[in-house]
């Protein structure tokens, strides 16, 4: 009896131990299952692109909050893991190496801009990772990487998309313009955009009277504008980043640039702080944009997003309106979230296959991806600043000061020219 009792006690102890072990294993599995899905990226929070990068980050944080409030993805919360790339391409490889090798993030997406996306591509490719790019011009043309997708409405021919939209507008002028000046920074995006302008000029038999690049560190644009003026062009196509766009506008107005059409690919003029800085000096510039709240462009969800963004913007010290980059940064993660939910997986190949084979309804409209992960259909707006009075914010909330000239389905007004005769 004593021996039998001892056996029963041992069995009970073993059973209890087994139960405890099972509970520990179960608990450990639950903890792992509850860990958030991590999305890693670098972002320009300082340096020349910080004004845009900070707005993109805020938009991504709003997406994170929206998704988590609805229960997350795959039953897990999502968490953004990010570092300041300082608008310095040299920092990017190290950031993404750390995100993948040390932070072990589940997904990587890009920071803002071509110059910061291109140096991350080799890291994504080497690690066979899905990679979503935010406002990168034609980044994948050299890599043809099947797991890259671009959040930029330039369509399947990005190099020519910016100048194509611009020239479609300006070549409709009467009489038809004949002479062209091309100028851009010696950097990734401007080099591609000016190449596109050159190709179109040759196709359209325009005479190129000025064609120069300038160092990205250029601060004084007066010599450049004077050199352009000396060639007396009817069209001036500019491809520039925010600091140089501001410098070009400042010099053009101070010197009194005489031309019929001025603009094209100037990054930065879409930002509200830049609009407030220059006010009426922007009048007459014909430039690209991607979204403004005209009645023709109020897609489902966009105004609700902007209400959240604009409520947070003052405390974050960022663009108070947020029309340019934030909707696309939010939509970029909408695509990612839709792919994760649709594929029911974090497997990189399955996610890439899902994105390639599906359309996505986002706050900036329906998106389908095509060759090299670019948008299957381009949607670049060409707009003109008109009738800006002074520098107050209220007038910039009214889209009458930013008239959509093309494409036709979104048009809200007609081009006014010549640039040099419009009141600045």
């Amino acid at each position: 009896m004593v021996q039998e009792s001892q056996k029963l006690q041992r069995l009970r102890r073993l059973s209890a131990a087994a139960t405890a072990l099972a509970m520990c294993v179960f608990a450990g599995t639950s903890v792992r299952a509850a860990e958030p899905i991590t999305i890693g990226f670098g972002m320009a929070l300082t340096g020349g692109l910080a004004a845009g990068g900070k707005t993109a980050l805020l938009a991504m944080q709003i997406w994170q909050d929206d998704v988590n409030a609805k229960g997350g993805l795959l039953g897990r919360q999502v968490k953004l893991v990010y570092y300041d790339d300082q608008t310095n391409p040299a920092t990017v490889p190290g950031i993404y190496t750390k995100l993948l090798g040390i932070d072990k993030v589940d997904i990587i997406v890009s920071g803002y801009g071509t110059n910061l996306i291109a140096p991350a591509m080799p890291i994504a490719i080497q690690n066979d990772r899905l990679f979503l790019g935010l406002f990168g011009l034609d980044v994948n043309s050299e890599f043809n990487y099947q797991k890259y997708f671009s959040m930029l409405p330039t369509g399947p021919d990005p190099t020519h998309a910016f100048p194509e939209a611009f020239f479609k507008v300006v070549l409709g002028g009467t009489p038809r313009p004949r002479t062209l000046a091309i100028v851009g920074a010696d950097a990734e995006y401007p080099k591609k955009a000016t190449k596109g302008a050159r190709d179109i000029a040759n196709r359209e038999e325009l005479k190129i009277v000025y064609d120069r690049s300038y160092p990205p560190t250029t601060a004084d644009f007066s010599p450049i504008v004077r050199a352009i003026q000396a060639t007396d062009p009817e069209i001036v196509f500019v491809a520039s980043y925010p600091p140089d766009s501001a410098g070009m506008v400042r010099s053009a107005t101070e010197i009194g640039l005489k031309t019929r059409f001025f603009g094209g690919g100037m990054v930065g003029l879409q930002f509200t702080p830049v609009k407030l800085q220059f006010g009426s000096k922007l009048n007459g510039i014909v430039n690209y944009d991607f979204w403004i709240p005209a009645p023709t462009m109020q897609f489902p969800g966009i105004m609700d997003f902007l209400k959240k963004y604009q409520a947070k913007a003052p405390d974050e010290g960022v663009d108070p309106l947020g029309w340019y980059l934030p909707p696309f940064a939010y939509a970029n993660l909408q695509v990612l979230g839709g792919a994760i939910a649709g594929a029911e997986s974090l497997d990189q190949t399955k996610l890439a296959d899902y994105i390639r084979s599906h359309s996505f309804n986002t706050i900036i409209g329906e998106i389908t991806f095509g060759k090299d992960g670019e948008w299957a259909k381009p949607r670049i707006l060409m707009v003109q600043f008109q009738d800006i009075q002074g520098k107050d914010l209220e007038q910039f909330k009214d889209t009458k000061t930013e008239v959509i000239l093309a494409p036709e389905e979104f048009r809200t007004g007609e081009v006014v020219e010549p640039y040099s005769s419009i009141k600045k």
Side-chain angles (χ1 to χ4, degrees), residues 276-416:
L276 294 173
Q277 177 185 353
F278 288 103
S280 61
K281 291 181 179 179
L282 297 173
N283 281 334
I285 294 175
V286 176
N287 201 44
Y288 85 94
D289 211 323
F290 295 140
W291 186 87
I292 63 173
T296 54
M297 302 203 76
Q298 293 192 17
F299 306 111
I302 182 69
M303 302 311 290
D304 288 339
F305 161 75
L306 286 173
K307 187 180 296 183
K308 294 177 184 177
Y309 171 90
Q310 290 169 7
K312 293 176 179 288
D315 289 340
E316 298 295 330
V318 296
D319 187 316
L321 298 182
W323 295 351
Y324 178 60
L325 182 56
F328 290 83
Y330 188 97
N332 200 35
L333 295 186
Q334 278 188 300
V335 169
L336 176 60
I340 291 172
E344 298 182 336
S345 175
L346 294 176
D347 180 86
Q348 308 290 298
T349 300
K350 289 180 180 178
L351 291 174
D353 289 345
Y354 190 92
I355 294 173
R356 194 177 301 107
S357 58
H358 289 77
S359 294
F360 297 85
N361 291 315
T362 75
I363 61 171
I364 54 170
E366 184 177 350
I367 301 171
T368 302
F369 296 93
K371 181 179 179 291
D372 283 337
E374 302 289 349
W375 282 30
K377 180 181 178 182
R379 198 191 72 195
I380 292 181
L381 305 182
M382 200 51 53
V383 305
Q384 185 177 40
F385 293 105
Q386 297 180 2
D387 300 321
I388 299 172
Q389 308 291 327
K391 299 180 180 181
D392 66 285
L393 177 62
E394 287 303 312
Q395 68 180 324
F396 291 110
K397 295 179 181 178
D398 185 344
T399 57
K400 290 180 181 178
T401 59
E402 193 169 347
V403 174
I404 301 176
L405 307 174
E408 181 63 30
E409 62 263 37
F410 301 117
R411 186 169 62 84
T412 61
E414 304 294 334
V415 66
V416 177

Side-chain angles (χ1 to χ4, degrees), residues 153-309:
T154 49
D157 186 11
T159 294
H160 296 92
F162 283 96
E164 190 77 64
F166 176 71
F167 284 106
K168 184 175 182 180
V169 169
V170 302
L171 291 180
T174 304
R176 189 177 191 268
R178 296 171 298 174
T179 55
L180 166 68
I182 300 174
V183 62
D186 186 13
E188 192 77 17
Y189 150 66
K191 285 194 288 188
K192 290 186 176 181
T194 53
K195 178 189 181 302
R198 214 169 287 118
D199 292 344
I200 294 169
N202 292 331
R203 185 190 74 197
E204 298 294 335
E205 299 182 342
L206 291 170
K207 182 181 180 181
I208 299 175
V209 295
Y210 180 95
D211 188 357
R212 299 284 189 277
S213 63
Y214 56 85
T217 54
T218 300
D220 182 7
F221 288 83
S222 298
I224 295 172
V225 173
R226 288 194 180 94
I228 291 172
Q229 187 65 79
T231 65
D232 194 26
E234 293 177 88
I235 305 168
V236 179
F237 177 83
V238 184
S240 51
Y241 278 124
D244 12 325
S245 297
M248 285 292 295
V249 172
R250 188 176 298 108
S251 295
T253 52
E254 288 174 355
I255 292 169
L257 176 64
K258 292 179 175 59
T259 188
R260 289 176 63 185
F261 302 102
F262 172 52
M266 303 173 76
V267 181
L269 304 191
Q270 304 79 9
F271 301 156
T272 308
V274 176
K275 295 177 185 178
L276 294 173
Q277 177 185 353
F278 288 103
S280 61
K281 291 181 179 179
L282 297 173
N283 281 334
I285 294 175
V286 176
N287 201 44
Y288 85 94
D289 211 323
F290 295 140
W291 186 87
I292 63 173
T296 54
M297 302 203 76
Q298 293 192 17
F299 306 111
I302 182 69
M303 302 311 290
D304 288 339
F305 161 75
L306 286 173
K307 187 180 296 183
K308 294 177 184 177
Y309 171 90

